[in-house]
Amino acid sequence: MTLAANHDAATTAELDARAKAILRGNDRGGYTVPTEGLYPYQWNWDSAFAAWGFAAFDLDRAWVELETLFSGQWANGMVPHILFHREDAGYFPGPDVWGAGETIPSSGISQPPVAATMARAIFERDPQAGAPRMAPLYDKLLAWHRWFYQHRCESGACCITHPWESGRDNAPDWDGALKGIDTSNVGPYTRRDTSHVNPDMRPTKRDYDCYITLVQFGRACDWDEAEILANSPFRVADPTMTFILLRAHRDLKWLGTTLGHDTTEIDGWIAELEAGVESLWNDDVGVYDARDLRSGELAGSPSNASFLCWYAGVSSPKTEARLARILSKVTYGVPSYDPEGPLFDHMRYWRGPVWGMMNTMIGMGLADAGLTDLATQVRDDTAALIADHGFAEYFSPLDGTPAGGGTFTWTAAVWLGWASPSAQKGA
């Protein structure tokens, strides 16, 4: 399916305008919320994609987005997955539950570090104007990447300490690791997501009880990384984090070299992660897979994160064949879980739906690897999905039914930065 087959230049211009309006509408003055109502704060990787989207029409606003994100960086280098810039009493779990943050109240965990990759893309649009903005940001990015190396890469691959840290909240990858978690002390709470969105499209009550249990554990140990490493019941080496961090290391090295820095430290991180990623290979399913670091077991979950390998610069002929087969079973890009798998649910968050920003990273990686036909298919499918079904948070990969938030920041950013024919002409 291609956008050109069904939509003319006027439609493209209209969609470009709608995407810009969504970014402006979700702008809260220095930072962007993912969508009105459902997510009222600044989310880490959402914000990095927002900056990339703004760069298509407002470079200054793009830099401000990243600068605001890093204004909440902890002294140890960690950049939290949520920054609570303003009070919103209806959101759970809010800052009172997390009990975290230094300069700004925040969550106690991080998220996939796409920021270096997006910072490079923004910088390359106008290096001369970007150099004064990039120079201080580089040091902050370096500190964050060092934090990942020191606190999340003990197995060689990059791990997560909470499903939210991966960005793929309820993916089947975490089922085994979450199975034994005791949730009996969670207590009552009210979720915002299921009041805004059909509960059948969201994580289950059991999932959420596990999430809150892990937040309570982190707070009880004052978010001390050594204690979390030693005693947390959940620690999973994650292909999302591993591949995105590896790509981000490469882009951070490029930025450092361009700015005249010694990047020997980053070279070491890249080498260790390139070796460590092989610990995630699951020959039984022919993809890179999540590994529970407590049990040592692989999840057996062929997910869209498996197909980020090319984005990280890791070739995989077996994975290429698996991706081609999956794409033949769906209409719109890469589902979050194999549609032939026993746990596939085409509308439940990360257990089947397709996500524009994951399609984007997968498509970019395929193009970088010279897998042109697959790259073009993923990009054209994503363009058609947005053109036909709007700027939702996620969609059914089977028929494009939109789900989650309806005017979503990163979907608009994906359109402006990559999927739109306007973006493709400038590529």
Side-chain angles (χ1 to χ4, degrees), residues 160 163 166 168-178 234 236 238 290:
I160 58 171
S166 73
R168 298 188 298 124
D169 303 19
N170 69 330
D173 306 45
W174 328 128
D175 288 359
L178 292 174
F234 184 91
V236 180
D238 170 28

Side-chain angles (χ1 to χ4, degrees), residues 145 147-159 235 242 245 249 269 272-273 293:
H145 285 226
W147 175 86
F148 275 108
Y149 176 72
Q150 293 173 339
H151 300 296
R152 292 291 187 272
C153 293
E154 75 274 6
S155 71
C158 187
C159 78
R235 200 168 186 92
T242 300
L245 180 60
H249 281 339
W269 299 340
E272 291 196 29
L273 212 53
L293 296 181

Side-chain angles (χ1 to χ4, degrees), residues 341-380:
L343 302 176
F344 178 73
D345 183 338
H346 76 120
M347 293 298 285
R348 192 179 287 278
Y349 216 38
W350 288 93
R351 302 180 81 87
V354 61
W355 296 73
M357 86 295 184
M358 292 293 284
N359 275 4
T360 299
M361 291 184 287
I362 293 166
M364 286 178 169
L366 290 166
D368 290 345
L371 300 172
T372 306
D373 290 345
L374 285 173
T376 300
Q377 181 177 353
V378 172
R379 192 172 193 171
D380 286 351

Side-chain angles (χ1 to χ4, degrees), residues 156-344:
C158 187
C159 78
I160 58 171
T161 61
H162 193 295
W164 285 338
E165 199 162 50
S166 73
R168 298 188 298 124
D169 303 19
N170 69 330
D173 306 45
W174 328 128
D175 288 359
L178 292 174
K179 189 174 182 180
I181 290 181
D182 178 6
T183 63
S184 59
N185 293 321
V186 166
Y189 59 86
T190 300
R191 293 165 59 178
R192 171 173 285 192
D193 62 332
T194 51
S195 66
H196 283 259
V197 176
N198 183 339
D200 291 340
M201 299 178 181
R202 308 301 289 181
T204 65
K205 174 67 162 59
R206 163 65 188 175
D207 290 332
Y208 229 81
D209 286 350
C210 289
Y211 305 156
I212 301 307
T213 297
L214 291 171
V215 171
Q216 291 172 339
F217 169 83
R219 179 167 185 171
C221 64
D222 198 27
W223 303 105
D224 180 82
E225 294 293 355
E227 188 170 345
I228 291 170
L229 171 61
N231 298 314
S232 173
F234 184 91
R235 200 168 186 92
V236 180
D238 170 28
T240 333
M241 278 291 202
T242 300
F243 289 133
I244 289 176
L245 180 60
L246 181 50
R247 169 62 177 259
H249 281 339
R250 299 190 199 281
D251 290 322
L252 187 63
K253 174 181 169 60
W254 183 92
L255 287 166
T257 301
T258 301
L259 295 172
H261 294 284
D262 180 355
T263 59
T264 303
E265 183 180 21
I266 302 173
D267 290 335
W269 299 340
I270 291 171
E272 291 196 29
L273 212 53
E274 285 177 334
V277 72
E278 295 310 316
S279 68
L280 302 183
W281 180 255
N282 187 337
D283 208 44
D284 290 339
V285 291
V287 295
Y288 291 96
D289 193 11
R291 182 183 293 274
D292 184 345
L293 296 181
R294 298 308 188 209
S295 69
E297 295 179 357
L298 288 161
S301 177
S303 69
N304 53 1
S306 308
F307 305 116
L308 292 172
C309 55
W310 301 285
Y311 179 75
V314 176
S315 62
S316 180
K318 282 189 176 181
T319 303
E320 181 184 342
R322 184 64 176 262
L323 175 60
R325 182 170 63 75
I326 286 176
L327 289 175
S328 73
K329 304 293 181 181
V330 298
T331 304
Y332 293 110
V334 189
S336 46
Y337 180 76
D338 190 330
E340 295 184 332
L343 302 176
F344 178 73

